[in-house]
Each structure stands twice: as C-alpha cells, then as structure tokens.
Amino acid sequence: MLFAANWKMHIGPGEARQFLDRFLALDAPRPGRTVAFFPPAVSIEAVAARLAGHDHLSVGAQDVHWEPQGAFTGAISVALARGAGAAAVLVGHSERRHVFGETDAETGRKVQAVLAGGLQAVLCVGEQLIERDEGKTRGVVERQLRAALAGVEPSADLVIAYEPVWAIGTGRNASPGDANEVHGAIREVLADLGLPRTTPVLYGGSVKPGNAAALLAESEIDGVLVGGASLDPESWAEICAAGG
Ligand code: 13P
C-alpha cells in the first residue's frame, strides 16, 4: 500500500524537518507499506535528508517541466528534482490541469520525461462535478489515461491516482464503492494499453483519518493521495496506520 502526502503550497524546509521529527515518532513502519511525501520543490532536499535511512519513506516533486533545461522561469526539470532527492513526481494533478491550464498533451510529455529520467510517475486523473453529473466520469478518466500513457512501456515505474475534482479539498469524498468502480475502469484502460493491471491505483479527495480505512478496504484501492489531512503529523500518521 502506498500512502502519499501532497503538501501543495505548504510547509517550507524548516517546518518539514519539524513535521518529520514528529511523524517519525508517531509512525510504526509496516511491511508492504510505503509513505511518500510530495512537498513544495524548495523543501524536497530537506525532506530527503531527514528521511535518509528510512527505506519505507520517500520524497517526490509535485510537478516538473518536460524539457531537460532551459528558460522556463519558475519550473523545475526532472534532473533538478532528482538531484534534490526526489524519487517520484506527481503528474497532471487536477490543480495543474484546472488552475494552471495544463493540457492532456502536456501531461503526456511530463509522464514521458519523468520515466525517461528514471523517476516514478504518479499520474493523477479525475472528473469535474459537471462531468460526473452528466455520466462522463469513465470517458474523462479514459481520455486522460490514454493521452498521458500512449507509448509507455509495461515495465514503467507508474502509479495512477484517481482524484475526482469535486472531492478535492471539499470534504466530500467519493463513496468507497464508487471509487472502487472507477479504479476497476482504470485497470481496464491500463490493460487495453498493454500496461499491467497490477499498476497501483490510489484514491485522493478529502481522505481523512475517519474515512481512510473504509476506502482502503476496497479491493481496487491500493493506497491514498492526501492533501489537507497530510499537513498535520498526527492526522497523517493516523491515516498511514489505516488499512493494515
Ligand atoms: P484533499 O485531501 O485536501 O482533498 O486534497 C486531495 C489532493 O488533491 C491530493 O493530491
């Protein structure tokens, strides 16, 4: 199981060190469980340094540019993320798509760049509320997967995160059954693309200590990607203890 914390635009390097001191005091490692932190880029190095020697804990970047270098003010490349200690990258998070206007095609270029750079790609997909209400969930998720994963090799280090946009930061989460159904549909698309059905598929969107266990009990849910409730070491440790 994979427990991923997306800190979004929170927690600088000093706070990250304090957070991890507290989290490490609360967390008991479990076989078969990995915990990954996705801090802001400025905190990747501090998190990597604090996690050194803890094999079940890792750090990643929230976003990268697909180009290896160049005049892209504000962006970081895969190599820069890796140099800071990142082992993975979130790609196509709904805030990248819907706040920053990232397209399916750009998401695909980022997946290719991350994999070519030897890091794990955590591809985020999910429908908006109007799309769900119109019965388009499956179609939207399938379009996002096909656009981002064309040409990806079956051996790629890939994770999918299903995050319905209407559930992010709203306190509304998909029911475990609904999430499980979409995860099953994601696996069908993966298989159709020649990718392993065993690719981990995480659920994200208002995951809290109170609902994590029910989500993780579903057969198709391999872990969680958590925003708000990962910003507090106590609630994050509680979530990471769920689903065992
Ligand atoms: P919340 O857990 O705050 O809803 O955020 C989910 C998310 O976007 C994780 O990537």
Side-chain angles (χ1 to χ4, degrees):
M1 265 183 200
L2 174 57
F3 292 76
N6 177 6
W7 285 351
K8 306 191 179 183
M9 203 166 71
H10 304 277
I11 308 190
E15 291 167 279
R17 281 185 281 269
Q18 286 174 9
F19 180 108
L20 293 171
D21 286 346
R22 182 80 188 117
F23 175 77
L24 290 169
L26 295 166
D27 182 60
R30 293 203 323 247
R33 186 205 61 173
T34 302
V35 179
F37 293 88
F38 293 87
V42 292
S43 301
I44 293 174
E45 200 167 0
V47 172
R50 187 64 189 83
L51 297 184
H54 296 274
D55 289 347
H56 64 294
L57 306 175
S58 66
V59 62
Q62 295 175 10
D63 183 44
V64 289
H65 199 284
W66 56 83
E67 291 291 345
Q69 64 207 9
F72 301 104
T73 301
I76 62 169
S77 65
V78 176
L80 290 174
R82 193 179 52 226
V89 182
L90 299 181
V91 180
H93 188 274
S94 85
E95 286 141 27
R96 299 304 316 172
R97 294 177 191 266
H98 301 299
V99 180
F100 295 96
E102 188 171 306
T103 64
D104 284 341
E106 288 167 341
T107 297
R109 293 172 86 171
K110 290 182 180 189
V111 168
Q112 293 290 345
V114 170
L115 296 174
L119 299 190
Q120 179 181 71
V122 182
L123 173 66
C124 306
V125 297
E127 81 287 3
Q128 298 184 77
L129 186 55
I130 183 158
E131 294 166 331
R132 166 156 289 239
D133 289 344
E134 291 174 353
K136 293 181 179 158
T137 297
R138 221 181 155 105
V140 169
V141 167
E142 178 161 3
R143 188 202 76 223
Q144 292 172 333
L145 289 167
R146 288 189 185 279
L149 298 177
V152 168
E153 298 289 329
S155 59
D157 191 357
L158 180 69
V159 173
I160 308 295
Y162 169 57
E163 298 203 300
V165 179
W166 48 271
I168 295 177
T170 58
R172 257 185 91 181
N173 65 303
S175 71
D178 282 352
N180 201 52
E181 201 177 310
V182 180
H183 283 217
I186 288 171
R187 290 212 152 84
E188 282 171 29
V189 178
L190 291 174
D192 196 53
L193 288 167
L195 296 169
R197 277 183 182 273
T198 50
T199 302
V201 184
L202 315 182
Y203 170 78
S206 296
V207 176
K208 311 277 178 223
N211 60 23
L215 288 158
L216 291 164
E218 294 290 337
S219 58
E220 305 281 356
I221 300 182
D222 302 314
V224 287
L225 176 57
V226 184
S230 76
L231 297 176
D232 171 69
E234 269 76 19
S235 73
W236 180 232
E238 220 180 304
I239 290 172
C240 291

